[in-house]
CSV table of all heavy atoms in Angstrom, one decimal:
chain,number,residue,atom,x,y,z
V,61,ASP,N,76.3,116.6,85.8
V,61,ASP,CA,76.8,115.4,85.3
V,61,ASP,C,78.3,115.2,85.6
V,61,ASP,O,78.8,114.1,85.8
V,61,ASP,CB,76.5,115.3,83.8
V,61,ASP,CG,75.1,115.3,83.5
V,61,ASP,OD1,74.4,114.4,84.0
V,61,ASP,OD2,74.6,116.2,82.8
V,62,PHE,N,79.0,116.3,85.6
V,62,PHE,CA,80.5,116.4,85.8
V,62,PHE,C,80.8,117.6,86.7
V,62,PHE,O,80.1,118.6,86.6
V,62,PHE,CB,81.2,116.5,84.5
V,62,PHE,CG,80.9,115.4,83.5
V,62,PHE,CD1,80.0,115.6,82.5
V,62,PHE,CD2,81.6,114.2,83.6
V,62,PHE,CE1,79.8,114.6,81.6
V,62,PHE,CE2,81.3,113.1,82.7
V,62,PHE,CZ,80.4,113.3,81.7
V,63,GLY,N,81.9,117.5,87.4
V,63,GLY,CA,82.3,118.6,88.2
V,63,GLY,C,83.8,118.7,88.3
V,63,GLY,O,84.5,117.7,88.2
V,64,ALA,N,84.3,119.9,88.4
V,64,ALA,CA,85.7,120.2,88.5
V,64,ALA,C,85.9,121.5,89.2
V,64,ALA,O,85.0,122.4,89.2
V,64,ALA,CB,86.4,120.2,87.2
V,65,THR,N,87.1,121.7,89.8
V,65,THR,CA,87.3,122.9,90.6
V,65,THR,C,88.6,123.6,90.1
V,65,THR,O,89.6,123.0,89.8
V,65,THR,CB,87.5,122.5,92.1
V,65,THR,OG1,86.4,121.8,92.5
V,65,THR,CG2,87.8,123.7,92.9
V,66,GLY,N,88.5,124.9,90.0
V,66,GLY,CA,89.7,125.7,89.8
V,66,GLY,C,89.8,126.4,88.5
V,66,GLY,O,88.9,126.2,87.6
V,67,GLU,N,90.8,127.2,88.3
V,67,GLU,CA,91.0,128.0,87.1
V,67,GLU,C,91.2,127.1,85.9
V,67,GLU,O,90.5,127.4,84.9
V,67,GLU,CB,92.3,128.8,87.3
V,67,GLU,CG,92.6,129.7,86.1
V,67,GLU,CD,93.9,130.5,86.4
V,67,GLU,OE1,95.0,129.9,86.2
V,67,GLU,OE2,93.8,131.7,86.6
V,68,ASN,N,92.0,126.1,85.9
V,68,ASN,CA,92.3,125.4,84.7
V,68,ASN,C,91.0,124.7,84.1
V,68,ASN,O,90.8,124.8,82.9
V,68,ASN,CB,93.4,124.4,84.8
V,68,ASN,CG,94.0,124.0,83.5
V,68,ASN,OD1,94.5,124.9,82.7
V,68,ASN,ND2,94.1,122.7,83.2
V,69,PRO,N,90.3,124.0,85.0
V,69,PRO,CA,89.1,123.4,84.4
V,69,PRO,C,88.1,124.4,83.8
V,69,PRO,O,87.4,124.1,82.8
V,69,PRO,CB,88.4,122.6,85.6
V,69,PRO,CG,89.6,122.4,86.5
V,69,PRO,CD,90.5,123.6,86.3
V,70,ILE,N,88.0,125.5,84.4
V,70,ILE,CA,87.1,126.6,83.9
V,70,ILE,C,87.6,127.0,82.5
V,70,ILE,O,86.8,127.2,81.6
V,70,ILE,CB,86.9,127.7,84.9
V,70,ILE,CG1,86.2,127.3,86.1
V,70,ILE,CG2,86.1,128.9,84.2
V,70,ILE,CD1,86.2,128.3,87.3
V,71,ILE,N,88.9,127.3,82.4
V,71,ILE,CA,89.5,127.7,81.2
V,71,ILE,C,89.3,126.7,80.1
V,71,ILE,O,88.8,127.0,79.0
V,71,ILE,CB,91.0,128.1,81.3
V,71,ILE,CG1,91.1,129.3,82.2
V,71,ILE,CG2,91.6,128.3,80.0
V,71,ILE,CD1,92.5,129.6,82.7
V,72,ILE,N,89.6,125.4,80.4
V,72,ILE,CA,89.5,124.4,79.4
V,72,ILE,C,88.1,124.1,78.9
V,72,ILE,O,87.8,124.0,77.8
V,72,ILE,CB,90.2,123.1,80.0
V,72,ILE,CG1,91.7,123.3,80.2
V,72,ILE,CG2,89.9,121.9,79.0
V,72,ILE,CD1,92.5,123.7,79.0
V,73,ASN,N,87.2,124.0,79.9
V,73,ASN,CA,85.8,123.7,79.6
V,73,ASN,C,85.0,124.8,79.0
V,73,ASN,O,84.0,124.6,78.3
V,73,ASN,CB,85.1,123.1,80.8
V,73,ASN,CG,85.5,121.7,81.1
V,73,ASN,OD1,85.1,120.8,80.4
V,73,ASN,ND2,86.4,121.6,82.1
V,74,SER,N,85.5,126.1,79.1
V,74,SER,CA,84.8,127.2,78.5
V,74,SER,C,85.1,127.2,77.0
V,74,SER,O,84.3,127.7,76.2
V,74,SER,CB,85.3,128.5,79.1
V,74,SER,OG,84.9,128.6,80.4
V,75,GLN,N,86.2,126.6,76.6
V,75,GLN,CA,86.6,126.6,75.2
V,75,GLN,C,85.6,125.9,74.3
V,75,GLN,O,85.4,126.3,73.2
V,75,GLN,CB,88.0,126.0,75.0
V,75,GLN,CG,89.1,126.8,75.6
V,75,GLN,CD,90.5,126.0,75.6
V,75,GLN,OE1,90.6,124.9,75.1
V,75,GLN,NE2,91.5,126.7,76.1
V,76,ASP,N,85.1,124.8,74.8
V,76,ASP,CA,84.2,124.0,73.9
V,76,ASP,C,82.7,123.9,74.5
V,76,ASP,O,81.9,123.1,74.0
V,76,ASP,CB,84.7,122.6,73.7
V,76,ASP,CG,84.8,121.8,74.9
V,76,ASP,OD1,84.7,122.3,76.0
V,76,ASP,OD2,85.0,120.5,74.8
V,77,ALA,N,82.4,124.8,75.4
V,77,ALA,CA,81.0,124.9,75.9
V,77,ALA,C,80.1,125.5,74.9
V,77,ALA,O,80.5,126.3,74.0
V,77,ALA,CB,81.0,125.8,77.2
V,78,ASP,N,78.9,125.0,74.9
V,78,ASP,CA,77.9,125.6,74.0
V,78,ASP,C,77.0,126.6,74.7
V,78,ASP,O,76.5,127.5,74.1
V,78,ASP,CB,76.9,124.4,73.5
V,78,ASP,CG,77.7,123.4,72.8
V,78,ASP,OD1,78.4,123.7,71.8
V,78,ASP,OD2,77.6,122.2,73.1
V,79,LEU,N,76.9,126.5,76.0
V,79,LEU,CA,76.2,127.4,76.9
V,79,LEU,C,76.9,127.5,78.2
V,79,LEU,O,77.3,126.5,78.8
V,79,LEU,CB,74.7,126.8,77.1
V,79,LEU,CG,73.8,127.6,78.0
V,79,LEU,CD1,73.5,129.0,77.5
V,79,LEU,CD2,72.5,126.8,78.2
V,80,ILE,N,77.1,128.8,78.6
V,80,ILE,CA,77.8,129.1,79.9
V,80,ILE,C,76.8,129.9,80.8
V,80,ILE,O,76.2,130.9,80.3
V,80,ILE,CB,79.1,129.9,79.7
V,80,ILE,CG1,80.1,129.0,79.0
V,80,ILE,CG2,79.6,130.3,81.1
V,80,ILE,CD1,81.4,129.8,78.7
V,81,ILE,N,76.6,129.4,82.0
V,81,ILE,CA,75.7,130.1,82.9
V,81,ILE,C,76.4,130.4,84.2
V,81,ILE,O,77.1,129.6,84.7
V,81,ILE,CB,74.4,129.2,83.2
V,81,ILE,CG1,73.7,128.8,82.0
V,81,ILE,CG2,73.5,129.9,84.2
V,81,ILE,CD1,72.6,127.8,82.2
V,82,GLY,N,76.2,131.6,84.7
V,82,GLY,CA,76.9,132.0,86.0
V,82,GLY,C,76.6,133.4,86.3
V,82,GLY,O,76.0,134.2,85.6
V,83,PRO,N,77.1,133.9,87.5
V,83,PRO,CA,76.9,135.3,87.8
V,83,PRO,C,77.7,136.2,86.9
V,83,PRO,O,78.8,135.7,86.3
V,83,PRO,CB,77.5,135.4,89.3
V,83,PRO,CG,78.4,134.2,89.3
V,83,PRO,CD,77.9,133.1,88.5
V,84,ILE,N,77.3,137.4,86.7
V,84,ILE,CA,78.0,138.3,85.8
V,84,ILE,C,79.4,138.5,86.1
V,84,ILE,O,80.3,138.8,85.3
V,84,ILE,CB,77.2,139.6,85.6
V,84,ILE,CG1,77.7,140.4,84.4
V,84,ILE,CG2,77.4,140.4,86.9
V,84,ILE,CD1,76.8,141.5,83.9
V,85,GLY,N,79.8,138.3,87.4
V,85,GLY,CA,81.2,138.4,87.8
V,85,GLY,C,82.2,137.5,87.1
V,85,GLY,O,83.4,137.8,87.2
V,86,ILE,N,81.7,136.4,86.5
V,86,ILE,CA,82.6,135.5,85.8
V,86,ILE,C,83.3,136.2,84.6
V,86,ILE,O,84.3,135.7,84.1
V,86,ILE,CB,82.0,134.2,85.4
V,86,ILE,CG1,80.8,134.4,84.4
V,86,ILE,CG2,81.5,133.4,86.6
V,86,ILE,CD1,80.2,133.1,83.9
V,87,LEU,N,82.8,137.4,84.2
V,87,LEU,CA,83.4,138.1,83.2
V,87,LEU,C,84.3,139.3,83.7
V,87,LEU,O,84.9,140.0,82.9
V,87,LEU,CB,82.3,138.8,82.3
V,87,LEU,CG,81.4,137.8,81.5
V,87,LEU,CD1,80.4,138.6,80.7
V,87,LEU,CD2,82.3,137.0,80.5
V,88,MET,N,84.4,139.4,85.0
V,88,MET,CA,85.2,140.5,85.6
V,88,MET,C,86.3,139.9,86.4
V,88,MET,O,86.1,139.2,87.4
V,88,MET,CB,84.3,141.3,86.5
V,88,MET,CG,83.1,141.9,85.8
V,88,MET,SD,82.1,142.7,87.1
V,88,MET,CE,80.6,143.0,86.1
V,89,ALA,N,87.5,140.3,86.0
V,89,ALA,CA,88.7,139.8,86.7
V,89,ALA,C,88.6,140.2,88.2
V,89,ALA,O,88.2,141.4,88.5
V,89,ALA,CB,90.0,140.4,86.1
V,90,ASN,N,89.0,139.3,89.1
V,90,ASN,CA,89.0,139.5,90.5
V,90,ASN,C,87.7,139.7,91.2
V,90,ASN,O,87.6,140.1,92.4
V,90,ASN,CB,89.9,140.7,90.9
V,90,ASN,CG,91.3,140.6,90.3
V,90,ASN,OD1,91.9,139.5,90.4
V,90,ASN,ND2,91.8,141.6,89.6
V,91,ALA,N,86.6,139.3,90.5
V,91,ALA,CA,85.3,139.4,91.1
V,91,ALA,C,85.1,138.2,92.0
V,91,ALA,O,86.0,137.3,92.1
V,91,ALA,CB,84.2,139.4,90.0
V,92,LEU,N,83.9,138.1,92.6
V,92,LEU,CA,83.6,137.0,93.6
V,92,LEU,C,84.7,137.0,94.7
V,92,LEU,O,85.2,135.9,95.0
V,92,LEU,CB,83.4,135.7,92.9
V,92,LEU,CG,82.1,135.4,92.3
V,92,LEU,CD1,81.9,136.2,91.0
V,92,LEU,CD2,81.9,133.9,92.0
V,93,LEU,N,84.9,138.1,95.2
V,93,LEU,CA,86.0,138.3,96.3
V,93,LEU,C,87.3,137.8,95.9
V,93,LEU,O,88.1,137.2,96.7
V,93,LEU,CB,85.5,137.6,97.6
V,93,LEU,CG,84.2,138.1,98.2
V,93,LEU,CD1,83.7,137.3,99.4
V,93,LEU,CD2,84.4,139.6,98.6
V,94,GLY,N,87.6,137.9,94.6
V,94,GLY,CA,89.0,137.5,94.1
V,94,GLY,C,89.0,136.1,93.5
V,94,GLY,O,90.0,135.7,93.0
V,95,GLU,N,87.9,135.4,93.5
V,95,GLU,CA,87.9,134.0,93.1
V,95,GLU,C,87.9,133.9,91.5
V,95,GLU,O,88.4,132.9,91.0
V,95,GLU,CB,86.7,133.2,93.6
V,95,GLU,CG,86.7,133.0,95.0
V,95,GLU,CD,85.5,132.2,95.5
V,95,GLU,OE1,84.9,131.5,94.7
V,95,GLU,OE2,85.3,132.1,96.8
V,96,ILE,N,87.6,135.0,90.8
V,96,ILE,CA,87.6,135.0,89.4
V,96,ILE,C,89.0,135.6,89.0
V,96,ILE,O,89.2,136.8,89.1
V,96,ILE,CB,86.4,135.8,88.8
V,96,ILE,CG1,85.1,135.1,89.2
V,96,ILE,CG2,86.6,135.8,87.2
V,96,ILE,CD1,84.9,133.7,88.8
V,97,THR,N,89.9,134.8,88.5
V,97,THR,CA,91.2,135.3,88.1
V,97,THR,C,91.0,136.0,86.7
V,97,THR,O,90.1,135.7,86.0
V,97,THR,CB,92.2,134.1,87.9
V,97,THR,OG1,91.7,133.2,86.9
V,97,THR,CG2,92.3,133.3,89.2
V,98,PRO,N,92.0,136.8,86.4
V,98,PRO,CA,91.9,137.4,85.0
V,98,PRO,C,91.9,136.3,83.9
V,98,PRO,O,91.2,136.5,82.9
V,98,PRO,CB,93.3,138.2,85.0
V,98,PRO,CG,93.5,138.6,86.4
V,98,PRO,CD,93.1,137.3,87.2
V,99,ALA,N,92.6,135.2,84.1
V,99,ALA,CA,92.5,134.2,83.1
V,99,ALA,C,91.1,133.5,82.9
V,99,ALA,O,90.7,133.2,81.8
V,99,ALA,CB,93.5,133.1,83.4
V,100,ILE,N,90.4,133.4,84.0
V,100,ILE,CA,89.0,132.9,83.9
V,100,ILE,C,88.1,133.9,83.2
V,100,ILE,O,87.4,133.5,82.3
V,100,ILE,CB,88.4,132.6,85.3
V,100,ILE,CG1,89.1,131.4,86.0
V,100,ILE,CG2,86.9,132.4,85.3
V,100,ILE,CD1,88.7,131.1,87.4
V,101,SER,N,88.2,135.2,83.5
V,101,SER,CA,87.3,136.1,82.9
V,101,SER,C,87.6,136.2,81.4
V,101,SER,O,86.7,136.4,80.6
V,101,SER,CB,87.4,137.5,83.6
V,101,SER,OG,88.7,138.1,83.5
V,102,VAL,N,88.9,136.1,81.0
V,102,VAL,CA,89.2,136.1,79.6
V,102,VAL,C,88.7,134.9,78.9
V,102,VAL,O,88.1,134.9,77.8
V,102,VAL,CB,90.8,136.2,79.4
V,102,VAL,CG1,91.1,136.0,77.9
V,102,VAL,CG2,91.2,137.6,79.8
Side-chain angles (χ1 to χ4, degrees):
D61 299 300
F62 302 99
T65 302
E67 180 182 76
N68 201 56
I70 295 171
I71 292 169
I72 296 302
N73 285 286
S74 294
Q75 292 173 1
D76 64 348
D78 299 305
L79 175 62
I80 296 175
I81 303 173
I84 195 162
I86 62 177
L87 294 176
M88 298 176 197
N90 305 313
L92 278 69
L93 298 174
E95 292 185 16
I96 301 300
T97 65
I100 289 174
S101 62
V102 169

